[in-house]
């Protein structure tokens, strides 16, 4: 009975832990869906704001004229006037950059650390030049995450240049995902070469664990996501890591569940364990009753028979017990009585 009870307890703990982990992963996966929806909304909003400038004929004409080499400026373009115009007209995003027909940055408003060669080679820029259509995406630049929109500047169907608009992805975005998905969320990016690890995410011990496992987090390549266990000497938690489609570096969305509570401390296992304990106690009582009513009386009866076998002829079995014990007693006593007769 003890072996059966231990086996049942082990089975319940395994099943509950498996079900709990599956439910937790399902909840963590919701964060990935929320992130994609919110990101699409942010990119659409950025594109709408950028279109106000990119589709303004007066702005396009001004840029087209300023991109013509000016002999008074030593044969260079008038990038200063374009920068001033961008500063005046930029609304709702952090960075605005005008690119020439080859995708090289000419003038900018706001600080973008990405080097000019990387911008020119970026897939969004190349696609906007070749397709003459606006492109949206995500950039990783020096440990920062940006939403980016690249819009062609067209005049009479001819490409005059490109407008690059970018917004920094801040902590409010992760907070919005966390609030909707009801899980802790962190956005991790590949740090700039030679820089330190990202600062704490504000998630307590899990933030420290994330920084320690940054390489493992960013190494996840399955677009559907992958489960990862965050742990230190005192805590353990399940995280669902979803890589973000970004150029310029790796980035990942990490949804973090509560601390793992395993074994007998798991509240979900308590009803099943209580049932097993109750059944085990009931079975133990039945075994004890069987021993008390049958096996113990049989042992005492065997002791009387051994005395009879050694020549004691004045014996009568008066042992009580179960029905089988009484039947044996009624069958053995006449034999003992006949053995006393000469």
């Amino acid at each position: 009975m003890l072996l059966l009870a231990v086996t049942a307890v082990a089975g319940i703990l395994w099943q509950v832990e498996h079900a709990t982990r599956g439910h937790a992963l399902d909840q963590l996966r919701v964060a990935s869906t929320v992130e994609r929806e919110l990101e699409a909304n942010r990119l659409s909003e950025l594109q709408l704001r950028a279109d106000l400038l990119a589709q303004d004929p007066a702005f396009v004409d001004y840029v087209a004229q300023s991109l013509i080499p000016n002999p008074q400026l030593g044969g260079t373009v008038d990038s200063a006037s374009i920068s001033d115009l961008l500063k005046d007209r930029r609304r709702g995003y952090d960075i605005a950059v005008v690119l020439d027909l080859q995708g090289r940055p000419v003038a900018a408003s706001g600080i973008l650390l990405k080097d000019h060669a990387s911008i020119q080679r970026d897939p969004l820029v190349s696609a906007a030049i070749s397709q003459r259509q606006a492109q949206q995406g995500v950039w990783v630049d020096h440990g920062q995450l940006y939403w980016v929109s690249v819009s062609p500047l067209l005049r009479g169907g001819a490409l005059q240049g490109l407008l690059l608009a970018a917004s920094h992805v801040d902590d409010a975005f992760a907070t919005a995902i966390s609030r909707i998905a009801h899980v802790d969320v962190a956005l991790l990016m590949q740090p700039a070469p030679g820089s330190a690890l990202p600062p704490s995410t504000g998630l307590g011990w899990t933030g420290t664990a994330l920084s320690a496992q940054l390489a493992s987090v960013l190494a996840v390549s399955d677009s559907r996501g992958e489960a990862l266990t965050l742990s230190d000497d005192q805590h353990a938690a399940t995280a669902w890591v979803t890589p973000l489609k970004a150029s310029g570096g790796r980035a990942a969305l990490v949804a973090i569940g509560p601390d793992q509570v395993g074994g007998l401390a798991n509240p979900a296992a308590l009803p099943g364990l209580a049932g097993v304990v109750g059944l085990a106690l009931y079975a133990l009582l039945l075994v004890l009753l069987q021993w008390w009513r049958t096996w113990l009386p049989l042992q005492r009866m065997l002791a009387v028979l051994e005395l009879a076998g050694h020549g004691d002829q004045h014996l009568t079995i008066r042992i009580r017990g179960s029905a089988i014990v009484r039947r044996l007693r009624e069958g053995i006593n006449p034999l003992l009585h006949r053995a006393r007769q000469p």
Side-chain angles (χ1 to χ4, degrees), residues 1-2 4-13 269-283:
M1 293 308 303
L2 180 61
L4 289 175
V6 171
T7 303
V9 168
I12 289 175
L13 292 178
L270 295 181
L273 294 177
V276 169
V277 171
L279 289 176
L281 291 176
Y282 179 71

Side-chain angles (χ1 to χ4, degrees), residues 174 178 183-189 201 203 207 210 244 252-256:
S178 177
V183 295
D184 289 332
V185 168
L187 290 169
L188 296 184
M189 287 72 66
T201 58
L203 298 175
L210 279 173
L244 301 180
L253 171 75
V254 185
I256 306 166

Side-chain angles (χ1 to χ4, degrees), residues 57-317:
F59 174 78
V60 175
D61 289 342
Y62 187 87
V63 169
Q65 293 176 6
S66 299
L67 290 177
I68 299 174
N70 189 343
Q72 298 179 354
L73 299 176
T76 60
V77 299
D78 189 3
S79 59
S81 61
I82 300 177
S83 297
D84 292 339
L85 182 60
L86 288 175
K87 184 178 180 180
D88 293 337
R89 299 289 303 273
R90 173 167 57 92
R91 295 291 184 274
Y93 42 94
D94 301 319
I95 301 168
V97 182
V98 168
L99 312 177
D100 62 15
L101 296 177
Q102 287 73 41
R104 294 187 296 263
V106 175
S109 173
I111 300 175
L112 184 64
L113 299 178
K114 197 177 185 72
D115 62 274
H116 290 188
S118 297
I119 294 176
Q120 186 178 7
R121 294 192 305 264
D122 189 83
L124 296 179
V125 176
S126 300
I129 293 175
S130 61
Q131 300 176 18
R132 303 292 199 271
Q133 293 181 351
Q135 305 293 323
Q136 303 88 35
V138 181
W139 278 4
V140 176
D141 180 32
H142 289 74
Q144 299 293 327
L145 198 65
Y146 294 91
W147 290 307
V148 177
S149 168
V150 182
S151 304
L153 301 177
L154 301 175
R155 183 172 64 174
L159 184 66
Q160 305 300 315
L162 301 169
L163 174 66
L164 187 153
S167 291
H168 177 247
V169 182
D170 55 17
D171 293 338
F173 182 65
T175 302
I177 300 173
S178 177
R179 184 175 61 252
I180 297 173
H182 303 291
V183 295
D184 289 332
V185 168
L187 290 169
L188 296 184
M189 287 72 66
Q190 181 176 344
S195 66
L197 292 176
S200 172
T201 58
L203 298 175
W205 75 268
T206 51
T208 303
L210 279 173
S211 297
Q213 297 182 238
L214 180 63
S216 300
V217 171
L218 296 180
V220 174
S221 58
D222 190 343
S223 60
R224 297 171 297 180
E226 182 179 315
L228 187 68
T229 299
L230 305 176
S231 61
D232 60 12
D233 295 336
Q234 298 179 347
H235 305 274
T238 299
W240 186 259
V241 181
T242 306
L244 301 180
K245 186 178 180 181
S247 62
R250 292 181 175 272
L253 171 75
V254 185
I256 306 166
D259 289 5
Q260 294 178 359
V261 180
L264 300 176
N266 193 333
L270 295 181
L273 294 177
V276 169
V277 171
L279 289 176
L281 291 176
Y282 179 71
L284 181 60
L285 289 176
L286 292 179
V287 170
L288 291 175
L289 181 63
Q290 177 75 2
W291 175 80
W292 180 262
R293 296 278 295 165
T294 301
W295 297 109
L296 182 60
L298 288 177
Q299 290 175 358
R300 291 173 177 172
M301 190 180 297
L302 178 61
V304 173
L305 293 177
E306 288 177 348
L307 290 175
H310 287 86
D312 192 342
Q313 299 181 355
H314 302 281
L315 296 173
T316 300
I317 298 176

